[in-house]
């Protein structure tokens, strides 16, 4: 209330002052009037003045008479009250101020206390982190120790088992030796018995001879001699048995085996050493050896065999030492037996002499007969001796080989063998460890192709991790680094962007003065006379030198390179940008400090003709800080090595680091510590558009609603944001044409997708939320897209892209995401940590919004502003392009009457300015990147294509004010355009950012989508016969594995909105579908090779067939039970190679089959190779044509006759692509997009015929269509005006018309929604009585025939898609073919399958429709 009174009083005072002011003004006016003038200076009449004066006097009197004392008292009173109020307010405010001051002090103390506690907490957390890391390190070390202990325990167990095996073997050897000893003892006793028998026989014979000489009758003597000869023969037989028993004896067998043991051991050791050498070589190319020779298995087997040989050798040595005395005793006994044999022989000769000495007349005939008998006995004895001779030889051999005199040599040989085996055994563990480490990585992968892909990914991940090491490297004036150059050197040709940091150490007074000129870096060819970009410090200033072809340019910045302490280094930032011959150098002083200063760019232009940086991949080098002794830098860079710190930042928007080096020179980071500098932490992740990031997420409860969240920022038209998969199912969130798309594949259904028209690629932050509710089978994306699907469980998901294996498995063509991503969250954690990253860095680069390339479809155009473009005066415009099209517009600038056009026709590049035209005599529709520059200087216009120039003179032109856009693309051009440069007046030369377009249509901004036939390395080698023969060299696979890794992620097929691949053909739609190619028959040769890309799900069918000029000779490729089979037949003899893996998986596979002399090769996807060798080498002469698919007529029992069902493209013969088929039959374009069930009618037109329709009777025909055009025939039956039925589309309306004999009828249904909106529409036409009804979805219409209705019952075919040409139907208004999909045909409530289709003509595919 007090405040209200004060306010009223104050207001009254204001009113009083206002009134007083008015009165004073009036008085002033009156005074002026009294003086005779008004405000305008005009004189007033005297009468008016007197009157006015009187009135004024009256007013003054009245004012004097008024009493203001009461008002004054009130005012004084109110002033006192106001003062009291003011004092009260001041007191209250003072009180509150004191209270607030106390509270502030309390709050300040609390904040200080909390800050102290936070500091303590931070220190505790840091200490806990350090302890955690220490614990982790201890755990890691303990884990390593535990693994080492386990390994040693295993080795000890193995050694124990080995010792036990040796002991067991020794026991068995002793047992065998004892048994052999027993056998030898037994043999000894048998020999003694035989010797006794020989002595007894000798005594008997001597007695008998004596008796014979005294006897008168000689016949008993002869008989006894004969009997004695027989006994000698028996004795010989017994000796033979003894000999055989001796040979069969185990001890003797061991001795015989031991006779060759030394050679076997030596040979085995030599083989083992050769295997070890091969194994050492194979360790360098372990992948090749593991695949081809199963090295790990062979090495293990070799080790086991070597150990076995060593044990056997030791056992043999022990046995020989054990049986040495026994052998000597046996030798002595055999010597005794040999002596007795000689004695017996002498006795026999003496007996013969005695017999010869007998000479009596009466027994002459008997003696003659006795002589014959003795001769026979002698022969028998000779035979016995001959039988005994091998025994003597064997005994002497044993004595000679294993006698005591040879035991030392044998022991020496065993010692050498033992040493060699030990040496081999010592070499094998290193080999085993190498193989085992590789096997551990490759074990989960089933075949060599996947192994190499996995190795490529691992190599890329390792290099990517090295590029993320953002630490300055310190150079001491003698060191240097060779950095791994970028794999895509083509991208550096027209545009080069390099950013890096550098500093120099502070000068010290006690140190000698350092040289001010230093080498910094060099990127170019190792031959410095060719193209390069280099930098150096000259007189303390950074200088850039570059050479494009034949001219060297130099540009320097004004500020000196900063000098700072290496412990807390402050570094300058250098950013070089080159576009064609122009270079812009931007220098930021003290960029890593808070007081950075941008010095502004300096520019330079090379005055030479060339505009491209041409780097040879085989000789490109990237030296930083220094260079090796074998490199001679150009004169402008020939300075001492750098002293100071350098840190690479990025190269062409890709992160790069000095630690991704190929080699170093005199660099020791332990002696020379790297610089330390301040780095600003970033919560963003930059996706380069080449890789992905993976996140592991384990769901605790499948019924809990899960949320995945990330914030993105991009300018690209396409990219993968989120992807999760399990077996053959996946869900994904993509960017397509700048809009969000949810694409998924659940169960056995084909992939489906849902789009929304919101924009994601405007360069601002966009949140992406993905909600998965499995309990209600709902997935929502940003509340804009909802899908009612049952989502599978998964434990890992990917952001920004996917690995190549998943891309191949699911046929994903969307490129990786390029842009920034932050705030990555899921239901489990608010800050997700990536498990694995490829092409992802922690900081978004300054140029991430720059888009330099775009993919064009046919008729696609991109319009750019022509602001500052000086055409038709001196100008320059340049760009790169890549296409397989032979015609099309590249650039068009219509500034009538001056028009600039650059176009292809046919394959040649033309530049047209007004009526003048330039071109080069070379075609450029080869799918490679080519660079075009058109520039005018004075009156000369030049055209450069890949730095190959041509020029003409033109007339002078005047500048025009009219502004028209510069249009790229158009016509039949289809491909990629990148690195556009438009010279603009008053602007620095720089590459065109395509996001600044004014209009685009049919163009996708971002990395170029390239349908590239990655010709396998093996196929390239086939072009060189000498290299083809080196396929067995294991280094060859190393050459394969070093192939460009990044292309796996950057090169993809054309976008799905391209309906068909113009180079691919679909075969097998009909059994006799085929393509034939003709060619000029080559001269007979022993070398042929072919390649083709194939995609099929068929298990059987013919792919390629060609005949040779000789009879019953051919070459073919077919598929059998999913395997590719390469067959050759010559003169009735057949040879086949068959792949071990099935390839009917619906994916593209490159197949190469070749013959080189006797060598035959079948290669799939460049890796899975099958080799074979023919029995003889004979020249091959094939004759045209070559058939792809089926054959018009073929009777071969060993290969299929019908065509395979699938797609085929890029057929090459001897490296030359076969472009123009001679003949095509039943061949359709191949749709390179996901398919679903249905019948597809191509734009070329075609029809199918099914069943006979009985016209005149009641019928109902139902089918579903998804048209791609608004006009066309759907079905037709009948060929007469009084008997037909037709259902067709005309400008979006469905019309049923016909005549069943009772007169014409027609009914029309106009659909409320467009029929070609990409959705399925059900059409039904039925007749009952004389009423015909047409249904289109939920809409219908009908008509009735003219009475009287007397139908005729006729049987006639029912055609879908087109009216056959042989049916004359001039009365029908529409004859266009149906273009689109057809399915679910139902006639009279009975479904019609494709097996009931009787005819297929033209462009019709029965094997599926495009899914979208």
């Amino acid at each position: 209330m007090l405040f209200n009174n004060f306010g009223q009083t104050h207001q009254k005072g204001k009113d009083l002052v206002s009134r007083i002011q008015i009165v004073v003004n009036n008085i002033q006016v009156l005074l002026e009037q009294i003086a005779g003038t008004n405000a305008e200076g005009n004189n007033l009449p005297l009468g008016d003045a007197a009157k006015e004066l009187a009135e004024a006097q009256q007013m003054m009197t009245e004012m004097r008479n008024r009493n203001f004392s009461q008002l004054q008292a009130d005012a004084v009173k109110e002033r006192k009250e106001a003062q009291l109020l003011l004092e009260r307010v001041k007191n209250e405010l003072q009180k509150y101020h004191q209270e607030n001051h106390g509270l502030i002090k309390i709050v300040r103390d609390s904040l200080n206390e909390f800050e102290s506690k936070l500091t303590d907490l931070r220190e505790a957390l840091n200490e806990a982190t350090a302890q955690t890391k220490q614990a982790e390190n201890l755990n890691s070390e303990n884990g390593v120790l535990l693994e080492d202990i386990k390994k040693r325990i295993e080795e000890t167990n193995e050694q124990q088992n080995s010792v036990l095996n040796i002991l067991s073997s020794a026991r068995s050897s002793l047992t065998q030796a004892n048994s052999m000893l027993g056998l030898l003892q037994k043999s000894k006793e048998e020999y003694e018995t035989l010797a006794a028998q020989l002595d007894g026989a000798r005594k008997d014979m001597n007695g008998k001879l004596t008796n014979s000489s005294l006897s008168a009758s000689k016949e008993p003597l002869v008989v006894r001699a004969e009997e004695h000869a027989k006994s000698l023969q028996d004795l010989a037989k017994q000796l033979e048995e003894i000999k055989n028993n001796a040979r069969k004896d185990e001890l003797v067998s061991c001795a015989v085996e031991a006779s060759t043991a030394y050679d076997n051991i030596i040979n085995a050791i030599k083989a083992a050493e050769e295997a070890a050498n091969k194994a050492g070589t194979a360790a360098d190319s372990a992948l090749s050896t593991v695949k081809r020779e199963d090295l790990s298995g062979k090495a293990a087997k070799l080790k086991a065999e070597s150990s076995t040989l060593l044990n056997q050798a030791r056992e043999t040595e022990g046995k020989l030492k054990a049986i040495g005395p026994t052998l000597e005793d046996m030798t002595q006994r055999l010597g005794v037996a040999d002596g007795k044999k000689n004695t017996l022989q002498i006795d026999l000769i003496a007996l013969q002499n005695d017999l010869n000495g007998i000479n009596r007349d009466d027994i002459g005939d008997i003696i003659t007969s006795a002589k014959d008998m003795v001769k026979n006995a002698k022969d028998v004895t000779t035979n016995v001796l001959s039988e005994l001779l091998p025994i003597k030889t064997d005994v002497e051999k044993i004595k000679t080989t294993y006698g005591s005199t040879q035991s030392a040599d044998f022991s020496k040989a065993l010692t050498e063998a033992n040493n060699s085996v030990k040496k081999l055994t010592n070499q094998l563990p290193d080999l085993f460890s190498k193989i085992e480490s590789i096997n551990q990585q490759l074990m989960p992968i089933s075949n060599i192709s996947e192994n190499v892909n996995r190795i490529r990914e691992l190599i890329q991940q390792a290099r990517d991790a090295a590029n993320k090491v953002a630490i300055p490297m310190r150079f001491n004036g003698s060191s240097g680094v060779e950095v791994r150059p970028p794999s895509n050197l083509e991208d550096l040709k027209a545009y080069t962007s390099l950013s890096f940091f550098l500093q120099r150490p502070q000068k010290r007074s006690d140190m000698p003065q350092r040289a001010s000129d230093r080498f910094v870096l060099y990127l170019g060819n190792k031959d410095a006379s060719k193209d390069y970009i280099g930098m150096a410090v000259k007189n303390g200033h950074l200088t850039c030198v570059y050479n494009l072809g034949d001219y060297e340019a130099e540009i320097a910045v004004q500020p000196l390179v900063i000098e700072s302490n290496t412990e807390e280094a402050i570094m300058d930032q250098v950013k070089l940008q080159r576009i064609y011959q122009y270079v812009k150098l931007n220098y930021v002083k003290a960029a890593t400090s808070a007081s950075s200063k941008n010095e502004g760019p300096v520019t330079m232009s090379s005055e030479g003709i060339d505009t491209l940086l041409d780097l040879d991949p085989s000789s490109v080098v990237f030296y930083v800080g220094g260079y090796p002794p074998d490199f001679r830098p150009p004169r402008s860079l020939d300075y001492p090595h750098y002293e100071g710190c350098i840190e690479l930042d990025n190269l062409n928007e890709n992160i790069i680091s000095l630690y991704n080096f190929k080699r170093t020179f005199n660099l020791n980071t332990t002696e020379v510590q790297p610089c330390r500098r301040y780095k600003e932490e970033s919560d963003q992740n930059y996706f380069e558009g080449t890789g992905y990031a993976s996140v592991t997420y384990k769901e605790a409860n499948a019924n809990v609603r899960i949320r995945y969240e990330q914030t993105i920022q991009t300018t690209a038209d396409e990219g993968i944001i989120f992807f999760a998969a399990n077996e053959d199912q996946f869900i994904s969130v993509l960017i397509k044409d700048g809009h969000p798309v949810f694409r998924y594949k659940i169960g056995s259904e084909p992939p489906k997708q849902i789009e929304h028209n919101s924009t994601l690629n405007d360069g601002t932050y966009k949140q992406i939320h993905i909600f998965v509710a499995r309990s209600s089978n709902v997935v929502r994306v940003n509340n804009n897209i909802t899908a009612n699907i049952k989502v599978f469980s998964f434990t890992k998901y990917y952001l920004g892209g996917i690995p190549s294996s998943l891309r191949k498995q699911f046929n994903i063509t969307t490129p990786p995401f390029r842009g920034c991503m932050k705030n990555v969250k899921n239901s489990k954690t608010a800050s997700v940590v990536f498990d694995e990253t490829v092409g992802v860095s922690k900081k978004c680069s300054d140029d991430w919004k720059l888009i330099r390339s775009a993919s064009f479809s046919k008729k696609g155009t991109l319009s750019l502003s022509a602001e500052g473009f000086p055409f038709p005066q001196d100008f320059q415009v340049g760009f790169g392009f890549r296409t397989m099209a032979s015609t099309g517009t590249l650039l068009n600038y219509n500034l009538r009457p001056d028009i600039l056009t650059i176009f292809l026709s046919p394959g040649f590049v033309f530049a047209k300015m007004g009526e003048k035209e330039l071109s080069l005599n070379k075609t450029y529709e080869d799918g490679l990147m080519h660079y075009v520059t058109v520039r005018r200087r004075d009156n000369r216009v030049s055209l450069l294509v890949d730095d190959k120039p041509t020029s003409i003179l033109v007339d002078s032109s005047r500048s025009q004010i009219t502004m028209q856009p510069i249009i790229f693309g158009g016509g039949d051009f289809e491909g990629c355009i990148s690195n556009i440069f438009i010279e603009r007046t008053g602007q620095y030369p720089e590459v065109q950012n395509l996001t600044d377009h004014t209009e685009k249509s049919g163009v996708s901004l971002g990395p170029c989508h390239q349908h590239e036939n990655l010709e396998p390395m093996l196929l390239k080698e086939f072009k060189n016969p000498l290299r083809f023969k080196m396929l067995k060299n294991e280094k060859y696979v190393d050459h394969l594995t070093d192939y460009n890794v990044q292309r796996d992620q950057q090169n993809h097929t054309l976008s799905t909105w391209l309906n068909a691949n113009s180079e691919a053909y679909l075969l097998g739609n009909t059994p006799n579908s085929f393509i034939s190619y003709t060619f000029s028959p080559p001269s007979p040769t022993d070398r042929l090779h072919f390649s083709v890309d194939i995609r099929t799900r068929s298990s059987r069918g013919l792919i390629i067939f060609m005949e040779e000029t000789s009879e019953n000779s051919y070459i073919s490729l077919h598929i059998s039970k999913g395997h590719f089979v390469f067959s050759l037949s010559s003169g009735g003899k057949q040879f086949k190679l068959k792949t071990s893996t099935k390839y009917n998986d619906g994916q593209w596979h490159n197949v190469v089959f070749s013959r080189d002399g006797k060598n035959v090769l079948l290669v799939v996807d460049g890796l899975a190779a099958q080799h074979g060798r023919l029995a003889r080498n004979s020249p091959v002469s094939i004759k045209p044509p070559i058939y792809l698919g089926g054959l018009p007529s073929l009777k071969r029992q060993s290969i299929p006759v019908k065509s395979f069902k699938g797609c085929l493209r890029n057929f090459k013969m001897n490296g030359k692509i076969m472009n123009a088929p001679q003949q095509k039959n039943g061949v359709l374009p191949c749709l390179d997009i996901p398919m679903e069930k249905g019948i597809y009618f191509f734009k070329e037109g075609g029809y199918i015929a099914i069943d006979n329709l009985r016209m005149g009777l009641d019928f109902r025909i139902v089918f579903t269509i998804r048209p791609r055009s608004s006009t066309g025939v759907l079905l037709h039956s009948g060929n007469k005006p009084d008997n037909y039925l037709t259902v067709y589309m005309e400008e979006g309306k469905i019309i049923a018309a016909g005549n069943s004999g009772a007169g014409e009828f027609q009914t029309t249904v106009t659909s409320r929604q467009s029929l070609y909106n990409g959705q399925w529409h059900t059409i039904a036409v039925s007749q009952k009585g004389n009423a015909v009804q047409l249904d289109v979805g939920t809409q219908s219409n009908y008509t009735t025939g003219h009475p009287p209705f007397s139908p005729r019952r006729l049987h006639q075919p029912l055609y879908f898609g087109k009216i056959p040409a042989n049916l004359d139907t001039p009365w029908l208004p529409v004859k266009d073919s149906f273009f689109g999909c057809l399915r679910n045909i139902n006639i009279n409530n009975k479904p019609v399958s494709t097996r009931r289709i009787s005819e297929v003509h033209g462009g019709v595919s029965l094997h599926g429709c495009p899914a979208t």
Side-chain angles (χ1 to χ4, degrees), residues 988-1001:
Y988 289 112
E990 58 185 9
V991 68
Q992 178 70 45
N993 191 347
L994 301 185
T995 59
D996 298 332
H997 63 272
T998 59
E999 185 180 354
K1000 72 182 179 76
S1001 173

Side-chain angles (χ1 to χ4, degrees), residues 200-402:
R202 178 170 174 268
K203 290 179 181 180
D204 293 338
M205 182 173 290
N206 289 334
K208 291 176 181 179
L209 285 173
T210 304
N211 295 330
S212 297
S213 62
L214 299 175
S215 174
S217 175
K218 304 299 185 292
E219 182 176 359
L221 176 62
V222 175
V223 173
R224 285 194 300 270
E226 186 177 2
E227 290 174 354
H228 187 67
K230 288 181 180 180
S231 65
L232 289 175
Q233 189 173 5
D234 294 336
L235 179 61
K237 289 181 179 179
Q238 291 178 5
L239 288 173
E240 178 66 20
E241 290 176 0
I242 292 171
K243 171 187 151 183
N244 293 334
N245 291 333
R247 286 182 176 177
K248 293 178 182 180
D249 187 83
E250 293 182 2
L251 180 61
V252 179
S253 298
C254 290
V256 174
E257 290 174 359
S259 66
T260 57
Y262 176 77
D263 293 335
N264 292 336
I265 291 173
I266 294 302
N267 293 333
I269 290 170
K270 289 181 179 179
E273 289 176 348
E274 292 176 359
N277 293 331
K278 292 181 180 178
T281 305
D284 297 333
S285 57
L287 178 62
S288 170
T289 311
V290 169
K291 185 261 173 187
R292 191 176 63 252
E293 297 183 5
D294 189 18
L295 184 58
S296 60
K298 284 190 175 180
K301 182 179 178 182
L302 180 60
K303 181 180 179 182
E305 290 177 352
S306 300
S307 300
T308 303
L309 285 173
L310 177 60
N311 294 333
Q312 289 179 356
R314 290 174 177 173
E315 291 174 4
T316 304
E317 182 182 17
K319 291 177 182 178
L320 287 173
K321 290 180 179 179
I323 67 174
T326 307
L327 284 174
E328 293 178 0
D329 182 70
M330 182 180 174
T331 304
Q332 293 175 0
R333 293 181 179 277
L334 288 176
V336 173
D338 185 59
K340 292 181 179 180
K341 178 200 67 175
N342 294 332
T343 303
L344 179 61
Q345 184 176 7
I346 293 171
D347 291 340
L348 289 175
I349 294 172
L351 177 62
Q352 182 180 6
N353 293 333
D354 291 339
L355 292 174
N356 289 332
I358 300 173
N359 188 11
R360 291 183 64 176
D361 296 334
D362 53 346
I363 57 173
D365 296 332
I366 298 174
I367 289 174
T368 302
S369 177
K371 287 181 180 180
D372 294 335
M373 289 182 173
V374 171
K375 184 179 181 181
N376 292 334
K378 184 179 179 181
D379 293 337
V380 172
T381 304
T382 304
N383 292 336
V384 172
L385 292 175
S386 63
E387 294 285 346
L388 291 174
L389 187 61
I391 297 176
K392 180 181 179 181
T393 304
D394 291 342
V395 173
E396 292 295 333
K397 185 176 181 181
I398 292 174
K399 180 179 178 180
T400 302
T401 307
Y402 303 108

Side-chain angles (χ1 to χ4, degrees), residues 1254-1309:
R1254 292 185 295 174
M1255 292 298 295
L1257 296 179
D1258 296 346
F1259 64 85
R1260 177 176 173 82
I1261 305 174
V1262 183
F1263 54 92
T1264 306
I1265 61 170
R1266 185 170 64 196
R1268 293 180 178 265
S1269 63
S1270 59
T1271 302
V1273 174
L1274 298 178
L1275 68 84
H1276 176 81
S1277 180
N1279 59 355
K1280 296 181 179 179
D1282 60 348
N1283 183 29
Y1284 74 94
L1285 171 67
T1286 301
V1287 180
Y1288 59 90
M1289 295 187 306
E1290 186 174 16
E1291 298 302 329
K1293 298 183 292 184
I1294 303 294
I1295 302 170
N1299 189 334
S1300 57
E1304 295 283 342
F1305 63 84
Q1306 179 173 309
T1307 182
T1308 304
V1309 174

Side-chain angles (χ1 to χ4, degrees), residues 1306-1335:
Q1306 179 173 309
T1307 182
T1308 304
V1309 174
T1310 302
S1311 178
R1312 298 188 186 95
Q1313 57 179 338
S1314 173
L1315 292 173
Y1316 48 99
N1317 59 358
Q1319 304 298 320
W1320 289 97
H1321 303 275
T1322 301
I1323 311 295
V1325 58
S1326 59
Q1327 175 176 309
K1328 190 171 184 180
N1330 65 339
V1332 175
Q1333 180 170 325
L1334 177 64
D1335 299 281

Side-chain angles (χ1 to χ4, degrees), residues 813-830:
T813 60
T814 306
F817 172 78
R818 182 180 183 273
C820 296
M821 186 179 297
K822 66 178 184 177
N823 298 334
V824 181
K825 306 175 183 178
N826 56 37
S827 301
K828 204 169 184 179
T829 177

Side-chain angles (χ1 to χ4, degrees), residues 847-1085:
D847 299 328
W848 74 266
K849 292 185 179 180
L850 176 64
I851 300 291
R852 298 185 285 115
S853 56
S855 296
F856 289 71
S857 61
K858 287 186 179 180
K859 312 296 182 185
T861 58
L862 178 70
S863 300
L864 300 175
S865 171
E867 181 181 358
F869 187 42
F871 179 85
Q873 299 300 317
D874 288 359
F875 70 92
Q876 179 174 338
V877 61
F879 57 89
F881 76 94
R882 179 172 61 206
T883 184
M884 298 292 289
S886 59
T887 60
T889 302
L890 298 174
L891 180 147
N892 183 39
Y893 184 48
N894 190 348
L895 201 64
R896 295 184 182 277
D898 297 302
I899 301 175
L900 174 63
T901 306
I902 304 175
F903 58 94
L904 288 168
S905 178
F908 298 92
V909 174
F910 287 85
K912 187 174 182 181
M913 184 175 173
E915 299 300 324
K916 301 286 187 177
E917 192 172 82
L918 298 91
S919 67
L920 292 170
N921 189 23
K922 183 180 178 182
T923 58
Y924 297 96
E925 78 279 27
D926 52 6
L928 302 176
M929 184 62 73
H930 301 283
Y931 292 93
V932 178
T933 296
V934 177
R935 61 186 174 193
R936 176 175 179 172
R937 296 294 182 262
D938 298 327
N939 290 336
R940 180 170 294 278
V941 175
S942 301
L943 167 66
L944 290 90
V945 183
D946 295 338
D947 277 349
K948 299 296 187 294
T950 182
S951 63
I952 58 172
L953 294 174
V954 296
D955 299 331
S956 300
S957 301
R958 295 182 179 180
S959 301
Q960 300 189 34
I961 303 177
T962 306
M963 184 72 66
Q964 296 291 333
I966 303 174
I967 302 174
F968 288 85
D972 292 332
F973 176 76
E974 181 180 8
C976 173
I977 292 180
S978 65
N979 295 326
I980 297 175
F981 169 67
I982 301 172
E983 186 179 20
R984 301 181 189 272
T985 304
Q987 297 185 20
Y988 289 112
E990 58 185 9
V991 68
Q992 178 70 45
N993 191 347
L994 301 185
T995 59
D996 298 332
H997 63 272
T998 59
E999 185 180 354
K1000 72 182 179 76
S1001 173
V1003 176
S1004 176
L1005 301 183
C1008 286
H1009 298 186
Q1010 175 186 357
H1011 177 68
E1012 181 182 27
N1013 176 30
L1014 290 176
E1015 187 176 40
M1017 302 296 292
L1018 286 175
L1019 179 58
K1020 293 180 180 179
E1021 302 299 339
F1022 291 158
K1023 299 176 182 178
N1024 186 342
L1026 182 61
R1027 287 289 298 162
F1028 175 77
K1029 295 179 180 179
M1030 296 174 63
L1031 284 176
K1032 296 181 180 179
N1033 192 330
E1034 48 211 34
K1035 293 183 180 179
Y1036 182 76
V1037 176
D1038 292 339
H1039 177 57
L1040 286 178
T1041 58
D1042 197 31
Y1043 190 63
N1044 189 338
V1045 176
Q1046 273 192 326
R1047 300 177 73 94
D1048 291 340
Q1049 291 290 336
Q1050 292 180 334
N1051 295 327
H1052 310 291
T1053 56
L1054 288 172
S1055 300
T1056 55
W1057 39 262
L1058 298 177
N1059 288 340
N1061 186 339
S1062 59
E1063 300 175 0
Y1065 301 103
L1066 174 65
L1067 293 101
N1069 193 52
T1070 59
N1072 61 342
S1073 62
F1074 68 88
I1075 306 172
S1076 65
Y1077 292 95
T1078 187
F1079 56 91
S1080 299
S1083 58
T1085 178

Side-chain angles (χ1 to χ4, degrees), residues 375-455:
K375 184 179 181 181
N376 292 334
K378 184 179 179 181
D379 293 337
V380 172
T381 304
T382 304
N383 292 336
V384 172
L385 292 175
S386 63
E387 294 285 346
L388 291 174
L389 187 61
I391 297 176
K392 180 181 179 181
T393 304
D394 291 342
V395 173
E396 292 295 333
K397 185 176 181 181
I398 292 174
K399 180 179 178 180
T400 302
T401 307
Y402 303 108
S404 59
T405 58
Q406 299 294 329
S407 60
D409 295 336
F410 184 71
S411 298
K412 182 180 178 181
L414 286 176
T415 303
E416 293 176 355
N418 188 21
N419 294 333
S420 299
V421 172
K422 285 183 179 179
K423 183 179 178 181
L424 173 63
T425 306
N426 292 331
Q427 292 178 353
L428 288 176
D430 295 335
L431 175 62
F432 292 153
S433 61
K434 293 180 182 180
I435 296 171
E436 185 177 1
S437 63
I438 295 173
N439 285 339
Q440 287 176 354
Q441 298 181 13
L442 304 183
M443 195 174 298
I445 305 173
S446 58
N447 57 57
I448 191 65
S449 301
E450 296 177 356
N451 287 348
V452 171
N453 290 333
R454 178 58 179 162
I455 289 174

Side-chain angles (χ1 to χ4, degrees), residues 82-92:
Q83 289 177 349
L84 292 174
L85 177 62
L86 181 60
E87 291 295 330
R88 183 180 175 183
V89 170
K90 286 182 178 179
N91 293 333
E92 292 292 332

